[in-house]
Amino acid sequence: METKPVTLSVIKADVGSLVGHVQAHPDMLTVVKEHLARATEDQLLADYHVANVGDDIELIMTHYRGSDSEKIHGLAWDAFMAAAEVARRLKLYAAGQDLLSDAFSGNVKGMGPGVAEITFNERPSEPVVVFMADKTDPGAWNLPLYKMFADPFTTIGLVIDPKMHDGFIFEVHDLVEHKKVTFSLPEELYDLLVFIGSPGRYCIKRVYSKKNGELAAATSTQRLNQIAGRYVGKDDPVCIVRCQNGLPAVGEVLEAFAEPHLVAGWMRGSHYGPLLPVAEADSRPTRFDGPARVVALGFQLCNGRLVGPVDFFADKGFDRAREKALELADYLRRLGPFEPHRLALDHLEYTTLPLVAEKLKGRFQPIE
Ligand code: F6R
Ligand code: MG
Ligand code: MG
C-alpha cells in the first residue's frame, strides 16, 4: 500500500467529434483507453477511468507523481494525439481541435487541453466527485462551488458540523490579468462575490478547508481563445471535489446543481443558457449545440484505485432541475440574436462576430 500522497489528475480535450460537435467516436475512446491501460501496466498510473461528455474526452487518472508531472501530462498528450489521429482518419469534425501545438512541451497547460489536479493524503475513506461540463466555460463552476462551500442553504454542514464551521478559503483567478487572490469565508463573503459574480473573467480555481488546510476542490481554468488568440471552441471545464467528513457531503455537493443556473457557451460559444445536469449517456448536446451539460461521476479512492463510478445525475432527483433548465432554454432561445441570450459584445471578441463587424465598419457615418 502506498503511503505517498496520491494525485487525482483530470485532463480533458476535444480532439474531434461525431457528428459536428456532439460526441467523441467510440474508436477514439478505445485508443485512449489502450494508452492508459498500458501506462497502468507500466505503473505510471495507479488507475484510470475514461469519460466522454459531449465532444470532450476526459482522462480521470490517479498516480503518485504529483501535480504537473511531465510524465502524466505527456501520457495525456499522447493519448489525445492518438484519438485525434482516429478522428482525422474518419474525417470527424474539428479533428485535433484542442491540440494547439505539434509538439509536447512538458505540461499540457497552455497547449489546449483542460486540467484539474489535486494531490493529497488519501483519507481512511476518500469520496470524490468529478464534474465535467460541455458547451460552456470555467466560470460555470463559480456559482455551484460558492453554494457547496459557502452557502448554508445548500450545505447545512457549514452550520451544524464543527469540522466545517470555520469555513473555507477560496482561490480566485483573474483570467484576463493572470493574477490570483484568496478570500477567507465566511468573513470575506461579500469581497468574494464582487469578483466571482463575473464568471467570464474571475474563476474559482481552488477551495481549501480552514480547519486542516486540506485542498477540497480544484477546477480547470484554461481559456482556449486566449491561448490561440482566436475562437477554437469552448473551454468545457472540469472540476474535482473531495467530499464528506469535514468537507461538504456528496448530497450537499450535488444539491448545488438542483437549481439550473445560466452559463456562457451553447451555440458558437456565444450564448447564455441553463446548465443541464445529465447522466453521461445523455451528454449529447444536439439542440442549438447545447444546452450546456454537466455530468458528475463519483468515485471512492482505495489506495489509489478508482472504485466506481456512480453516475450521479442519472438520478430521478434531478428530473425537475432538467425540466426547469429546458423551460429556461425555450425562453432564452426565443430571444434569438438579442442580448441577454446572445453574449454581450465584449465577450464575443474572440468569436467570428468581429469579422462581420469589420466588414460593415465603412457603412458608419458620423451623427450630425
Ligand atoms: C461550441 C462549438 C460549436 C461551433 C459551431 C460552429 O463549442 O464549438 O457551437 O461553434 O458548431 O462551428 P463551425 O464554425 O466549425 O461550423
Ligand atoms: Mg467540438
Ligand atoms: Mg466540448
Side-chain angles (χ1 to χ4, degrees), residues 14 17 21 55 97 135:
D14 170 357
S17 49
H21 287 284
D55 55 8
Q97 173 186 282
K135 304 294 184 261

Side-chain angles (χ1 to χ4, degrees), residues 88-104:
R88 283 189 198 100
R89 219 168 45 229
L90 296 174
K91 289 182 65 180
L92 298 183
Y93 202 66
Q97 173 186 282
D98 285 2
L99 305 176
L100 300 180
S101 163
D102 292 332
F104 177 64

Side-chain angles (χ1 to χ4, degrees), residues 23-302:
Q23 72 178 88
H25 189 283
D27 291 357
M28 297 166 73
L29 301 177
T30 303
V31 292
V32 161
K33 284 177 191 162
E34 282 166 5
H35 265 73
L36 301 198
R38 227 174 295 129
T40 310
E41 269 165 38
D42 295 345
Q43 301 196 335
L44 178 58
L45 292 182
D47 203 359
Y48 71 89
H49 180 85
V50 174
N52 167 219
V53 175
D55 55 8
D56 298 301
I57 298 176
E58 285 86 6
L59 316 181
I60 301 169
M61 304 176 284
T62 50
H63 55 90
Y64 293 93
R65 287 162 197 276
S67 300
D68 287 319
S69 155
E70 182 168 345
K71 281 223 158 74
I72 300 300
H73 283 226
L75 166 69
W77 182 263
D78 291 345
F80 288 135
M81 287 292 261
E85 199 38 53
V86 173
R88 283 189 198 100
R89 219 168 45 229
L90 296 174
K91 289 182 65 180
L92 298 183
Y93 202 66
Q97 173 186 282
D98 285 2
L99 305 176
L100 300 180
S101 163
D102 292 332
F104 177 64
S105 68
N107 194 306
V108 293
K109 284 181 196 158
M111 299 185 72
V115 187
E117 293 186 301
I118 300 192
T119 300
F120 52 94
N121 291 310
E122 196 179 297
R123 296 172 292 171
S125 185
E126 186 65 62
V128 296
V129 183
V130 178
F131 291 99
M132 297 159 280
D134 188 34
K135 304 294 184 261
T136 183
D137 61 20
W141 304 131
N142 280 10
L143 180 53
L145 283 173
Y146 163 76
K147 284 185 171 176
M148 290 171 209
F149 289 97
D151 171 27
F153 285 76
T154 302
T155 297
I156 184 62
L158 294 166
V159 180
I160 65 178
D161 180 352
K163 294 200 280 297
M164 296 176 71
H165 203 79
D166 290 349
F168 291 86
I169 305 267
F170 285 69
E171 179 183 321
V172 174
H173 286 197
D174 174 346
L175 301 188
V176 174
E177 294 277 327
H178 302 287
K179 288 186 174 155
K180 62 180 181 182
V181 54
T182 56
F183 295 103
S184 177
L185 265 72
E187 320 82 88
E188 298 184 305
L189 169 72
Y190 301 152
D191 298 327
L192 173 79
L193 288 172
V194 168
F195 298 100
I196 65 165
S198 290
R201 172 162 180 182
Y202 298 97
C203 291
I204 299 171
K205 179 70 186 174
R206 295 185 184 90
V207 183
Y208 297 87
S209 161
K210 271 193 344 211
K211 186 81 181 165
N212 54 21
E214 287 274 332
L215 177 52
T219 66
S220 63
T221 48
Q222 286 71 27
R223 293 292 297 267
L224 269 177
N225 55 26
Q226 296 193 349
I227 301 166
R230 68 193 145 83
Y231 188 70
V232 268
K234 267 289 165 192
D235 311 291
D236 302 339
V238 290
C239 173
I240 304 170
V241 182
R242 297 170 67 202
C243 306
Q244 306 284 158
N245 196 13
L247 302 176
V250 169
E252 289 166 334
V253 164
L254 299 175
E255 177 67 8
F257 293 89
E259 179 78 19
H261 63 298
L262 299 182
V263 296
W266 167 287
M267 175 57 73
R268 296 174 192 274
S270 305
H271 296 82
Y272 285 108
L275 187 63
L276 186 67
V278 290
E280 187 178 0
D282 294 328
S283 65
R284 309 289 175 244
T286 55
R287 182 182 176 193
F288 199 59
D289 287 3
R293 269 131 229 256
V294 56
V295 169
L297 295 186
F299 299 90
Q300 287 283 154
L301 262 63
C302 176

